């Protein structure tokens, strides 16, 4: 690790840096897990690029430094910033609104003011380290104002923005009191990426209805301050995973042995159902538990033969809606286990933890059926991780049609998680699926995930940004 203040030709701007502060790590920093880091790290390393983000600890002031060949530019957030900008506007206004108001959003002017203030800070940090004509790629809903703010500071740079979560239909989006300001913020970018074609269409509709701008085939004509006009491209770039990495981990003998240990620890049931989610109301965990509990009560499934392993990793534990959801899930798990457990078998093994990637791959290998029942999800990379890990060509994926992954993973068993009877039937279809059909479906799913991996995603997006530079 060393200090750095060099200008960069490629800059990523996201809420978090790709490292976590840790007193026991070498140099005080440890690489964060996550697909975004895996996708963008090689690009930044090869270009001498920079990453602008929050270090993850309130009031931590750190000078720019280098880590693994990347310049890291920390943005300091106070406790109040974290409370108002991050927990407040980002995660209690934008997150529920953009996920179809599954939970009601809260609108507070002081949250919005903090969001503006913090977005200005991120834009200024990016502007300060951008080389002339640099490419700046802004990530996700916490920073929707940064593209315009950055364009005002540095009109010479090429700006991309990628939206990792859904963009809602206009009837929902229009509830936002600051709807125009957010659209204007996003339109500061030259290329605006979404997970699904539907999301890009929803954005275009909002731009037409709110700003009266012309949109055609994903191109928005954006007026400039001097009467000029430029073109902003808004289209789908579905994100993915490092499929080769999951395949490689799944082939390690120790990971395969761990998968066998997991099955044994569960009493070697005939079928293991598996769900892994952040503990979030968008993930449909309660719908999944309800369907499974009813299948047991109706004797369509038997606890002697089937176990559901549910990993719910901790998330936003200071937000009231999340505390309430955790209580509901744990009460439901307790009731189902109380009704159906035997001395030797448990209905649900519930794990409120986060696990390292190797343990997750072992769980994917142990699971006969993967349950992804999100009520709304920009993509859902868990579905792709499961597919990439199934080197045996077996297993079945039950996938909500309300995920971005459903657009790509055509051979999954699709489900509307709000339809509990339909969800129950889908689970039974997956449990009873013959090995030959599992193999046929999984072969096609694995080909899709392998051919459209996270490197392909970043390459496509950056290629379109390069085309913008070439047209200037």
């Amino acid at each position: 690790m060393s200090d750095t203040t060099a200008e960069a030709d490629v800059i990523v701007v996201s809420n978090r840096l790709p490292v976590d502060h840790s007193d026991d790590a070498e140099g005080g920093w440890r690489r964060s897990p996550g697909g975004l880091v895996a996708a963008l790290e090689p690009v930044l390393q090869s270009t001498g690029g920079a990453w602008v983000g929050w270090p993850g600890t309130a009031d931590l002031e750190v000078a720019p430094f280098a880590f693994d060949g990347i310049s890291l530019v920390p943005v300091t957030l106070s406790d109040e910033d974290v409370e108002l900008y991050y927990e407040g506007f980002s995660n209690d206004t934008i997150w529920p609104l953009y996920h179809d108001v599954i939970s009601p959003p809260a609108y507070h002017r002081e949250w919005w003011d903090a969001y503006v203030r913090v977005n200005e800070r991120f834009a200024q940090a990016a502007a300060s380290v951008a080389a002339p004509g640099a490419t700046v790629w802004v990530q996700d809903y916490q920073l929707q104002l940064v593209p315009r703010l950055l364009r005002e500071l540095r009109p010479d740079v090429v700006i991309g923005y990628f939206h990792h979560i859904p963009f809602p239909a206009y009837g929902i989006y229009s509830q936002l009191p600051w709807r125009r300001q957010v659209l204007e913020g996003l339109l500061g970018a030259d290329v605006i990426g979404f997970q699904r074609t539907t999301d890009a269409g929803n954005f275009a509709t909002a731009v037409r209805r709110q700003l009266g701008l012309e949109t055609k085939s994903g191109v928005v004509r954006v007026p400039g301050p001097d009467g000029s006009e430029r073109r902003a491209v808004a289209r789908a770039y579905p994100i993915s995973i490092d499929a080769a990495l999951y395949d490689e981990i799944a082939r390690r003998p120790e990971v395969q042995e761990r998968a066998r240990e997991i099955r044994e620890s569960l009493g070697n049931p005939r079928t293991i159902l598996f769900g892994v989610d952040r503990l979030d109301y968008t993930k449909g965990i309660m719908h999944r538990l309800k369907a499974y509990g009813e299948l047991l009560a109706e004797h369509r499934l038997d606890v002697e033969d089937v176990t559901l392993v549910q990993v719910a990793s901790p998330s936003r534990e200071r937000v009231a809606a999340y505390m309430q959801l955790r209580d509901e899930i744990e009460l439901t798990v307790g009731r189902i286990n109380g009704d159906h457990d035997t001395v030797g078998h448990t209905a649900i093994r519930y794990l409120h933890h986060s696990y390292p990637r190797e343990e997750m791959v072992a769980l994917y290998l142990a699971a006969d059926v993967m349950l992804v029942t999100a009520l709304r999800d920009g993509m859902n990379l868990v579905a792709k991780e499961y597919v990439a890990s199934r080197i045996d060509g077996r297993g079945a994926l039950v996938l909500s049609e309300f995920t971005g992954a459903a657009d790509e993973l055509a051979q999954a068993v699709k489900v509307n998680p709000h339809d509990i009877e339909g969800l129950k039937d889908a689970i039974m279809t997956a449990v009873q699926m013959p090995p030959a059909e599992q193999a046929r479906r999984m072969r096609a799913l694995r080909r899709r995930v392998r051919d459209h991996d996270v490197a392909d995603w970043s390459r496509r997006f950056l290629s379109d940004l390069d085309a913008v530079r070439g047209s200037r």
Side-chain angles (χ1 to χ4, degrees):
M1 189 179 89
S2 64
D3 288 343
T4 178
T5 54
E7 291 184 331
D9 290 320
V10 179
I11 299 163
V12 170
V13 187
S14 71
N15 179 62
R16 287 293 304 275
L17 286 173
V19 294
D20 294 317
H21 189 249
S22 173
D23 291 333
D24 58 359
E26 185 179 347
W29 299 95
R30 177 186 292 122
R31 178 186 279 99
S32 306
L36 186 64
V37 178
L40 300 180
E41 207 172 42
V43 177
L44 296 182
Q45 286 169 338
S46 65
T47 59
W51 192 307
V52 175
W54 174 47
T57 302
D59 294 309
L60 181 65
E61 296 196 24
V62 186
F65 62 94
F67 186 95
D68 275 8
I70 302 173
S71 300
L72 301 185
V73 183
V75 175
T76 302
L77 298 184
S78 67
D79 258 330
E80 183 182 47
D81 291 332
V82 174
E83 180 187 348
L84 302 181
Y85 143 81
Y86 182 69
E87 293 176 349
F89 194 81
S90 295
N91 290 326
D92 216 2
T93 301
I94 292 294
W95 180 270
L97 181 74
Y98 283 28
H99 285 87
D100 291 356
V101 198
I102 294 167
S103 176
Y107 303 116
H108 298 296
R109 283 167 291 181
E110 61 270 29
W111 289 2
W112 166 253
D113 292 342
Y115 187 78
V116 173
R117 185 169 64 246
V118 171
N119 272 243
E120 287 172 345
R121 208 174 304 157
F122 275 84
Q124 287 159 358
S128 70
V129 294
T135 295
V136 182
W137 194 0
V138 183
Q139 305 289 331
D140 221 2
Y141 64 102
Q142 302 96 341
L143 303 175
Q144 293 176 100
L145 307 183
V146 167
R148 179 178 182 176
L149 293 166
L150 180 58
R151 182 168 294 281
E152 290 170 353
L153 292 168
R154 292 290 303 273
D156 60 300
V157 302
V158 176
I159 303 169
Y161 170 89
F162 188 75
H163 196 74
H164 291 257
I165 68 172
F167 195 91
Y170 181 71
I172 291 174
Y173 179 76
S174 61
Q175 297 176 28
L176 183 66
W178 306 279
R179 55 201 182 181
R180 291 180 62 89
Q181 294 96 311
V182 168
L183 293 174
E184 289 166 349
L186 293 173
L187 286 173
D190 296 293
V191 178
I192 307 155
F194 297 93
Q195 299 281 26
R196 310 180 80 169
T197 302
T198 304
D199 296 325
N202 288 342
F203 172 75
T205 300
V207 166
R208 287 193 302 271
R209 296 281 296 273
Q210 272 301 311
L211 305 180
L213 299 182
E214 181 183 331
T215 68
K216 187 175 182 181
S217 302
V219 176
V220 186
R221 299 163 75 95
V222 185
D226 56 356
S228 62
E229 187 177 83
R230 62 180 185 84
R231 292 153 55 91
V233 175
R235 61 171 61 123
Y237 301 83
I239 200 170
S240 194
I241 62 168
D242 185 347
L245 175 62
Y246 281 86
D247 184 286
E248 183 271 319
I249 293 172
R251 295 181 190 278
R252 296 177 190 171
E254 66 272 21
V255 173
Q256 295 180 7
E257 177 58 31
R258 177 62 186 141
R260 286 189 285 274
E261 289 174 3
I262 290 168
R263 289 197 77 95
E264 196 169 311
S265 72
L266 296 170
N268 284 313
R270 185 181 304 164
T271 304
I272 295 176
L273 309 176
F274 185 39
V276 54
D277 312 87
R278 277 192 315 105
L279 200 151
D280 192 290
Y281 49 75
T282 65
K283 300 299 183 182
I285 300 172
M286 288 297 294
H287 297 65
R288 184 182 315 164
L289 295 176
K290 182 174 178 60
Y292 178 63
E294 288 187 11
L295 287 171
L296 291 172
E298 294 164 5
H299 305 292
R300 294 171 70 183
L301 292 177
D302 190 317
V303 75
E304 298 287 329
D305 299 324
V306 179
T307 295
L308 168 61
V309 177
Q310 176 61 56
V311 173
S313 56
S315 174
R316 299 170 191 158
E317 296 189 284
R318 299 201 302 186
V319 178
Y322 289 77
M323 291 188 281
Q324 182 182 342
L325 177 64
R326 180 179 178 182
D327 289 345
E328 290 174 1
I329 289 171
E330 292 178 355
L331 283 169
T332 302
V333 168
R335 188 182 71 248
I336 291 172
N337 283 345
D339 288 345
H340 300 288
D341 279 8
T342 63
V343 171
H345 294 87
T346 187
I348 303 171
R349 183 68 61 85
Y350 174 72
L351 306 164
H352 183 58
H353 305 290
S354 297
Y355 290 96
R357 185 182 282 136
E358 289 75 14
E359 181 75 358
M360 289 307 305
V361 172
L363 284 161
Y364 291 143
L365 283 171
D368 303 286
V369 177
M370 185 79 212
L371 301 178
V372 177
T373 58
L375 307 179
R376 192 80 166 89
D377 215 335
M379 177 50 63
N380 194 284
L381 295 178
V382 162
K384 295 186 176 183
E385 291 172 5
Y386 178 70
V387 168
S389 301
R390 295 307 305 208
I391 56 172
D392 58 356
R394 297 286 294 276
L397 172 63
V398 175
L399 181 60
S400 166
E401 63 192 59
F402 303 121
T403 64
D407 293 349
E408 299 182 81
L409 303 182
Q411 292 75 22
V413 179
K414 302 287 180 60
V415 67
N416 171 4
H418 298 283
D419 174 9
I420 300 299
E421 286 301 324
L423 178 52
K424 287 156 60 178
D425 291 342
I427 292 171
M428 293 308 300
T429 296
V431 168
Q432 296 167 349
M433 188 178 292
E437 186 178 353
Q438 289 183 32
R440 178 182 62 78
R441 289 178 182 241
M442 190 55 72
R443 193 160 48 245
L445 290 168
R446 284 177 58 78
R447 188 182 310 116
R448 174 72 197 191
V449 172
R450 183 183 64 242
D451 292 348
H452 299 275
D453 65 0
V454 72
D456 178 63
W457 168 77
S458 61
R459 202 163 39 239
R460 284 181 58 226
F461 196 102
L462 290 169
S463 173
D464 282 1
L465 277 179
D466 283 343
V468 170
R469 172 177 286 102
S471 67
R472 282 188 168 182

